[in-house]
Amino acid sequence: MAGTHVHLSRQPRELLPKSKDHATLMFHQGALIPGRYPHLLGSGREARSMQFVSIHEAEERRDELTEIVKAWIALRDEQAGQQL
């Protein structure tokens, strides 16, 4: 897990290998994701991120992360339907 980050542009994830003590999952348009998620960090207009210091911590947040990804997919599907 050391030094890993995840990037989500059109897809909601990106692992960025810059840190040696945690992994960061980046949602570049995370502010658009509907819902409240306690471990989704950020307050700017676009990006949100989630950090993990261990595989164990990532496993503990599996359900929350799954809900974030489901919400992102539903949002993207809705946006795609509006463009048709």
Side-chain angles (χ1 to χ4, degrees), residues 1-5 16-24 52-54:
M1 164 121 343
T4 306
H5 290 64
L16 307 170
K18 305 226 179 201
S19 173
K20 295 184 185 211
D21 60 353
H22 69 273
T24 299
F52 308 94
V53 297
S54 67

Side-chain angles (χ1 to χ4, degrees), residues 4-8 12-16 23-28:
T4 306
H5 290 64
V6 174
H7 166 85
L8 295 174
R13 78 250 173 257
E14 175 181 10
L15 285 173
L16 307 170
T24 299
L25 179 61
M26 177 67 70
F27 297 84
H28 286 282

Side-chain angles (χ1 to χ4, degrees), residues 22 39 51-62:
H22 69 273
H39 298 101
Q51 291 187 347
F52 308 94
V53 297
S54 67
I55 295 294
H56 177 74
E57 185 175 62
E59 287 292 337
E60 287 178 339
R61 296 183 187 173
R62 177 187 295 266

Side-chain angles (χ1 to χ4, degrees), residues 57-84:
E57 185 175 62
E59 287 292 337
E60 287 178 339
R61 296 183 187 173
R62 177 187 295 266
D63 292 342
E64 180 182 0
L65 186 53
T66 298
E67 291 305 312
I68 291 169
V69 171
K70 285 179 180 179
W72 176 258
I73 291 169
L75 174 67
R76 297 303 289 178
D77 285 349
E78 180 181 316
Q79 290 172 337
Q82 291 173 359
Q83 292 178 358
L84 295 177

Side-chain angles (χ1 to χ4, degrees), residues 41-48:
L41 307 174
S43 60
R45 297 176 65 189
E46 293 193 25
R48 297 291 182 269

